[in-house]
Amino acid sequence: MATIVPHLSSPSTYRDQQYQGTRSQLQNELGNSTTIYVGNLSFFTSEEQIYELFQKCGEIKRIIMGLDRIQKTPCGFCFVEYYHHQDAVDCMKYVNGTKLDERIIRTDLDPGFKEGRQFGRGRSGGQVRDEYRQEYDPGRGGWGHIRARQEREREKEQKANYEAITTIPQGASLDYSGRRPTPSNKRGRQEMDSPLASKRVKDEAQNPRFRESDEKSDEEDDMQA
């Protein structure tokens, strides 16, 4: 009998692009499969947590954690193998859509685990879906790779602009390289900054005769010489 709402144990329409068989072969394998694919896991969910949840549907044969191809760290998926097909079907009924580590996980019947499928297929080593994620997700490594790349480019641009401001422009290094403050200017500045020099300037400003007496004494010294 046809139904509007699909059965909870029905597999999704997703098909693994690396599956070598035909569509009919895939349907036959799913009809007898004992393997469940689990997605949308947190990077910090442990194998013990997965075992505790999925053993409620039946005896588990093994759990294969999905790993980053480069860093060999968890990257948000796993495979759960049962001993019996009915246990995998019950898992689809009762575990799919539940919350684990504050995340809504999804399960799907899988034709069977093969060596190599435990590694992420993204260019950066993780899952492909994380390559296009732009929002912040603390459970899956923070920013997606697109946003992380944008942040790196922004920091690189800011660093380049800052270095351009703090460095001497090209062509001006020859004009400034050999310049040093002259000793006379430096000595004159020190003399003007001394207390005696400032007192003399103050006296000259207040009493004009003080300047005249100094000038006469200078002339007398020149005549005696």
Side-chain angles (χ1 to χ4, degrees), residues 100-166:
L100 178 62
D101 251 358
E102 301 302 320
R103 302 185 66 86
I104 302 299
I105 63 173
R106 61 177 184 275
T107 64
D108 198 5
L109 284 173
D110 190 86
F113 173 77
K114 293 182 180 179
E115 187 61 33
R117 293 188 64 197
Q118 72 270 34
F119 298 118
R121 300 176 183 176
R123 290 176 296 179
S124 61
Q127 286 192 277
V128 177
R129 64 187 293 254
D130 289 321
E131 301 279 352
Y132 301 97
R133 177 168 50 83
Q134 299 191 34
E135 73 281 359
Y136 182 77
D137 191 340
R140 295 184 68 87
W143 294 107
H145 294 285
I146 289 182
R147 182 60 180 269
R149 184 173 66 251
Q150 292 174 349
E151 291 294 324
R152 289 194 299 268
E153 292 175 353
R154 184 178 63 83
E155 292 177 359
K156 184 178 179 181
E157 182 179 355
Q158 288 181 345
K159 183 179 179 181
N161 293 336
Y162 178 76
E163 290 179 349
I165 295 173
T166 56

Side-chain angles (χ1 to χ4, degrees), residues 38-55:
V38 185
N40 200 37
L41 289 173
S42 168
F43 288 180
F44 308 101
T45 300
S46 65
E47 185 174 340
E48 289 76 14
Q49 290 175 283
I50 296 172
Y51 185 88
E52 182 179 359
L53 175 62
F54 283 81
Q55 71 171 345

Side-chain angles (χ1 to χ4, degrees), residues 91-105:
C91 180
M92 289 287 293
K93 292 179 181 178
Y94 306 122
V95 178
N96 185 30
T98 59
K99 183 176 288 189
L100 178 62
D101 251 358
E102 301 302 320
R103 302 185 66 86
I104 302 299
I105 63 173

